[in-house]
Structures are given as structure tokens and as C-alpha cells.
Amino acid sequence: MLRNILLYMTMAVLALTQQGCSSDDDTFSARQGEHTILIYMAAENNLTSDVMRNLQELKEGTRQLSDNNNVVIYVDRSSSKELPWMARVSRGQITDSVSLKDMGISDKDELTSDPHVFEDVIRYAFQRYPATKDYGLLLWGHSTGWILEDDIPYTRGFGVDNGRNDVNSAQGKWLNVTTMARVLKKLPHLKFIFADCCNFMCLESIYELRQVADYIIGSPAEIPEIGAPYNTVVPALLSSSDNFAVQSADMCFERKVKGLELPLAVAKTSEMEQLAQATRVALKAVNNELSGGFPDMTGIMYYYYRNPKFFYHPEYNVFYDAGDFFRTHLTEADYQSWKQALDKVVVYKKYSTKWNTDKKWDTFYGNNFTISPEKEHGVSMFVPQSPLSGDYAKYNLDIQQYEWYKAAGYKEVGW
């Protein structure tokens, strides 16, 4: 997620007075509601200054909600004085603030990206604020989709935590999506995961999370530094409407930054098994046309260019548009057959001709592929390439740790 380092110094004092880390009392008092949403803010990194803006919007949004909704936040910012804390936001106010220690979690050298912290925080939130109807999780922080943690900066999972005193370091700990899925399987089932973080809408991650949430909502691309508008998105997510996911995507899309829109998608996870079967058939058809070897990806739309150096090499393209790949390499009949399965997964999408990025658009994106409604399908998919190019030797191995690799039939075509 790309966010400017803004607002923090001017609002930090106010934040600390309003959102302290001590419990209002020492007793555990559960507060039941129909709906509970936890906003997990992993900001112990260079996003830390953006917390206040979203919290202020969140306060505004809760003024629209009834007391049947529990809006809970977990916040971890880069500060030697402020420890991670949780609170409820109700009617524009932050209440019931507790620290990790108050929650029974050790606060010594704990990282928000540690799996056990992720699990314990969510478990505590859902136990203290139980829901009679459904639970939701909003992920706030950095993300690079399915790519697994290693020693390369900015190419790993979700929610990097750099430690309390190091805002800009890229060498923190991340939470991989495979680990996230294992943790969430132990917790109450989620109605949705809303990803306010980059590159989350990839088939690998959606498939990995298919058993823990009914809907995944987010973007396949990098997202602007301003993030989602919490004053409208959170009320939409907590709506009783059947179109709650669509409404939240619409609200997010309406926030435009520097004239750039954002590709967004809503994925229905119950249809992912059928899409995996359709993808297995499609990959075999592609491989038969190629007579072995790796497919040519020239001109195919992609959502993220990984190489941090400021020159362009196609072997560093990652997160290709899943539909554009099959549209290019399949017959029209085979593509339409596969797309029928995709359309049952991607039940809604917002088309965008350009999005925010930390690299120069025209150099790394605009000159390398065209964008059209026919090419843009709202979700990405990794396509293995020759291990002699770029970082594909690593990626071709990493993808094998995902359930999607087996379900979609990569191994069967020799990729």
C-alpha cells in the first residue's frame, strides 16, 4: 500500500489522549451485537502517519450505525511510547481501550505480524464483542499478495512490522497469506475480508482463504496512499443488504486520488473450487497449444511490477490479469467456458484505466500493455516462466506452497 507520511506529528498528541492503551476497568465485559467487524491496522512501518486520517473517518462512519454493530479496531503504530492497543468505536467515540497486556498477550517485543498475535487479537475481539449474525475482518497495511516472505524488501505477505523505533526499515516481519489462512481456520467464520492493502485480489490468495470467509473484497493492483474512505465503507460493510460487498466496493471506488481510479473486485469464495477445475482444463489447453515450454506474456495486462530498480525488464512482471492471460492463449470457445467459472467468483468489479504506483506509470505499465474492459477481469494469477529470468526461479517454487498450485493443475502441465 502506498501512503504518504502525513499528518502524524500534528495529530499524535491528540491520538494518545483519545486512544490510550490502558483498560477502562479490569473486568472483561462482553458486548453482544448483530454484526462485529475488526479493523486490523498494521502500521508499525512507514504507514504509521496515515492511521489518524482513517480513524477520524471511522469515527464519522460509526455515527451512522446502530448499537447492534460492534466496530473494533486494533492499532499498532511506530512509537517507542505507544504500545499496540484495541478499542471499540461507537457513535464517533473511541471507548474500552485495552493493551496487548490487558488482552493477556505479552507486549514484550511482540509484532503485529506474528501469527499468534494475529490469532489472539482476533479471538479476543470476537469474544469480547460477539456477534449473533456475522463477523468481518478489514486488513489495513502493506501487502504484496501471495508472494511469500523472504529477505527481499517489499515482496512479502501482509502487515510488515518493523519494530517500534524503526519507521522506514523494510526488514520487518510479515504475515504470509498461507499462515493467515491457517490461523483464521481456527476462528469464527467471516462473512467477509476487506483488504485495504495492495495486490490482494489474486486467485492464489482468494483460494487459500476460501474456507474462512464468504467474500474477499479488494484490489489486484497497488492502492493509493489515502486508502479506503472509512466513513462510508464501514457502514456499507455492516449493512444488512445482500449487496453489502458491492456497496463497499462502490464507496471505495468513489474516492479518487490525483485523478486515478482503482480496479476493485468482489470475490465469492464458494465458487473457487469450480474455478480451479475450469483453470485446470484451461491450463492443459494452453499447454497443448504451446507444445510444452512457458507461455509468451507479451502485451498481457499485469497489476504489479516487482523490480525496485528504475528500469524495465518484462521478467519482473508479477500478478498478470488472469482473464487476459486465458483470453490471449485460449480459443474463444475455451476462454468463454473458463470465463463462465470466473464470473461466478468475481461477482462484481470496478474497471480502471490507471492506478497509483510507486513506479513511473508510463515506463513500467502504460507502454507495455493496453487496458480495456475486455482485458481487465479484476483478479490476477501467477503464470510461471523460465527460472532463468528475473526472480521466477524463486516464484516457481513459492507458488507450490499454495493450494491453488495443485488445484489449478500447474504441476500437470509442467510449470
Side-chain angles (χ1 to χ4, degrees), residues 25-284:
D25 55 57
D26 293 330
T27 61
F28 184 100
S29 178
R31 187 192 182 285
Q32 184 172 280
E34 290 185 353
H35 313 279
T36 296
I37 179 174
L38 172 64
I39 302 168
Y40 198 85
M41 305 185 79
E44 196 142 24
N45 48 58
N46 62 351
L47 305 185
T48 195
S49 63
D50 295 288
V51 169
M52 286 307 303
R53 174 172 48 207
N54 287 144
L55 283 184
Q56 187 57 43
E57 291 176 338
L58 182 60
K59 290 180 185 179
E60 296 173 10
T62 59
R63 293 189 178 99
Q64 308 171 35
L65 299 174
S66 72
D67 288 336
N68 284 330
N69 298 287
N70 285 320
V71 178
V72 188
I73 53 173
Y74 169 76
V75 181
D76 185 9
R77 297 191 288 187
S78 293
S79 172
S80 59
K81 298 179 180 179
E82 179 184 308
L83 300 178
W85 52 275
M86 179 189 290
R88 178 172 176 251
V89 187
S90 176
R91 298 185 181 275
Q93 300 296 320
I94 293 180
T95 65
D96 304 331
S97 179
V98 293
S99 68
L100 282 180
K101 185 177 181 180
D102 295 326
M103 288 183 268
I105 307 171
S106 171
D107 60 1
K108 183 179 180 181
D109 299 325
E110 297 289 6
L111 300 176
T112 287
S113 52
D114 280 337
H116 76 89
V117 174
F118 185 71
E119 177 180 348
D120 290 348
V121 165
I122 297 175
R123 189 182 303 280
Y124 181 92
F126 289 174
Q127 287 178 348
R128 187 170 190 183
Y129 302 100
T132 59
K133 289 188 176 179
D134 50 62
Y135 295 91
L137 177 65
L138 193 154
L139 299 174
W140 186 107
H142 279 300
S143 172
T144 52
W146 70 269
I147 299 178
L148 296 174
E149 178 177 354
D150 58 19
D151 58 356
I152 301 175
Y154 295 117
T155 59
R156 303 163 287 186
F158 163 76
V160 63
D161 192 322
N162 293 331
R164 294 170 187 164
N165 299 309
D166 193 353
V167 175
N168 294 311
S169 170
Q171 299 301 324
K173 182 179 178 63
W174 298 68
L175 179 66
N176 292 322
V177 173
T178 50
T179 304
M180 179 186 294
R182 287 195 295 271
V183 169
L184 291 176
K185 285 177 182 177
K186 297 186 285 184
L187 297 166
H189 187 80
L190 300 169
K191 183 179 181 181
F192 63 85
I193 296 175
F194 185 99
D196 193 9
C197 47
C198 294
N199 303 123
F200 207 82
M201 297 305 287
C202 49
L203 294 181
E204 297 82 9
S205 294
I206 298 170
Y207 190 83
E208 201 76 15
L209 296 167
R210 71 195 184 283
Q211 296 175 342
V212 303
D214 296 333
Y215 293 92
I216 311 291
I217 310 160
S219 176
E222 293 179 274
I223 68 172
E225 62 272 13
I226 198 170
Y230 287 74
N231 56 319
T232 57
V233 164
V234 170
L237 289 171
L238 292 170
S239 167
S240 297
S241 168
D242 291 339
N243 290 325
F244 78 97
V246 170
Q247 292 170 0
S248 66
D250 282 341
M251 294 298 101
C252 192
F253 187 81
E254 287 178 2
R255 169 176 277 178
K256 299 177 182 179
V257 182
K258 300 176 183 178
L260 306 184
E261 297 173 349
L262 184 67
L264 292 160
V266 176
K268 187 177 181 180
T269 59
S270 62
E271 299 293 337
M272 283 300 296
E273 295 291 358
Q274 293 299 318
L275 180 60
Q277 294 180 25
T279 301
R280 180 186 292 267
V281 173
L283 286 179
K284 288 181 179 178

